[in-house]
Amino acid sequence: MKKFIVEPEFWELFPETKIGIVLAKNIENSMESSAEIKKKNLDEANENAEQFLEAAIFSENPVVSVWRKAYQQFKTKKGARSSIENLLKRVDKGKAVGSINPLVDIYNSISLNYGLPAGGEDIDTFAGNLRLTKAVGGEHFLALGDDEADNALPGEICYLDDEGAVCRSWNWRDGQRTMLTEQTKNAFLIIESVDPERGEVLDAATQKLAELSEKYLGGTAQVLLVTKENPEISLN
């Protein structure tokens, strides 16, 4: 039985973090994103994201600064930033987040609409349990778009399985081995909040992610919440 486990080393740094999970099973992700996904969801989300960019200085926007502070608590590669910052930076520069595939478009739209990091992995590619914890260092990692491995650093917060790193620097970069593709049938979708005041926003975002997954991709979508008090879930 595969599990997702958030280990004590993580909770020591971020005890108030909440993580929303959607287990999307038996989905169909092989087609190109429909016009509705692109326009009604992704395009509108790019516009809605401007609500999170009210501060004159980009780094002082709350949904950016809270993650900047979090990233200061652990070892990261120079220049690593949270996924929500990377998306909002594109919006801030007038470069809309574009279409990749239906499932990625859906979780990017959620991320932009709610101002929270969101991502996804192919459950069937995991080697053993998926863990969110501190890396020992040297865990193998080949990032999306790269040709050479760039392995995890000692003390870096990462998603790991038995074969290496799945996502580095918490939610900075995904790896090729576990990425969502046209062949993905069972997906692990995740939304993270490090701000205890945004718990209700996280809940709403997770429910919406499940709703859109079922609407556009079929299958089933199970919603789960991971906290310090409930640090592991079954992926089966």
Side-chain angles (χ1 to χ4, degrees):
M1 178 183 292
K2 290 182 181 179
K3 295 181 178 181
F4 170 51
I5 304 168
V6 183
E7 298 189 339
E9 291 82 0
F10 174 88
W11 297 119
E12 289 172 4
L13 294 176
F14 304 109
E16 295 183 298
T17 292
K18 292 185 177 181
I19 301 174
I21 304 294
V22 175
L23 300 181
K25 301 290 188 68
N26 300 311
I27 60 173
E28 181 55 64
N29 196 47
S30 62
M31 61 288 193
E32 182 181 350
S33 285
S34 65
E36 185 172 350
I37 291 176
K38 291 178 181 178
K39 295 185 179 298
K40 182 173 178 57
N41 292 281
L42 193 56
D43 288 355
E44 289 184 8
N46 275 287
E47 296 177 4
N48 292 341
E50 294 180 5
Q51 67 182 296
F52 302 114
L53 298 172
E54 295 181 347
I57 300 174
F58 179 79
S59 62
E60 293 181 358
N61 287 288
V63 299
V64 174
S65 64
V66 71
W67 283 100
R68 287 276 185 105
K69 292 175 183 176
Y71 270 46
Q72 293 171 3
Q73 303 304 308
F74 60 92
K75 183 70 174 178
T76 67
K77 185 174 180 178
K78 185 177 181 181
R81 294 286 187 260
S82 69
S83 64
I84 184 58
E85 175 170 340
N86 290 329
L87 292 183
L88 290 176
K89 190 170 292 182
R90 295 188 62 175
V91 174
D92 189 50
K93 293 181 178 180
K95 298 179 180 179
V97 177
S99 177
I100 297 176
N101 66 50
L103 197 46
V104 175
D105 293 352
I106 289 168
Y107 76 61
N108 276 341
S109 72
I110 294 294
S111 188
L112 290 166
N113 275 322
Y114 292 89
L116 293 168
E121 310 291 344
D122 189 322
I123 292 175
D124 297 327
T125 65
F126 293 161
N129 294 330
L130 180 67
R131 299 176 291 119
L132 179 59
T133 188
K134 281 185 178 180
V136 174
E139 288 90 346
H140 185 268
F141 182 77
L142 182 62
L144 294 179
D146 286 0
D147 296 320
E148 297 182 2
D150 187 10
N151 297 338
L153 300 170
E156 182 179 0
I157 293 294
C158 294
Y159 288 90
L160 306 171
D161 68 5
D162 292 348
E163 288 191 12
V166 169
C167 187
R168 280 194 59 187
S169 291
W170 198 340
N171 50 48
W172 169 52
R173 291 196 75 181
D174 275 327
Q176 294 183 27
R177 176 170 58 88
T178 60
M179 68 180 183
L180 299 171
T181 70
E182 294 178 354
Q183 288 74 44
T184 297
K185 294 298 180 184
N186 301 298
F188 173 86
L189 307 177
I190 187 164
I191 307 176
E192 301 143 328
S193 176
V194 72
D195 183 350
E197 296 184 2
R198 303 198 75 209
E200 291 185 359
V201 176
L202 175 77
D203 293 342
T206 308
Q207 291 291 339
K208 189 65 174 180
L209 179 57
E211 175 188 322
L212 294 180
S213 175
E214 288 189 334
K215 177 180 179 180
Y216 293 115
L217 306 178
T220 61
Q222 181 184 8
V223 174
L224 299 162
L225 181 66
V226 175
T227 64
K228 185 178 180 181
E229 294 71 33
N230 181 42
E232 68 176 67
I233 60 171
S234 171
L235 300 180
N236 288 34

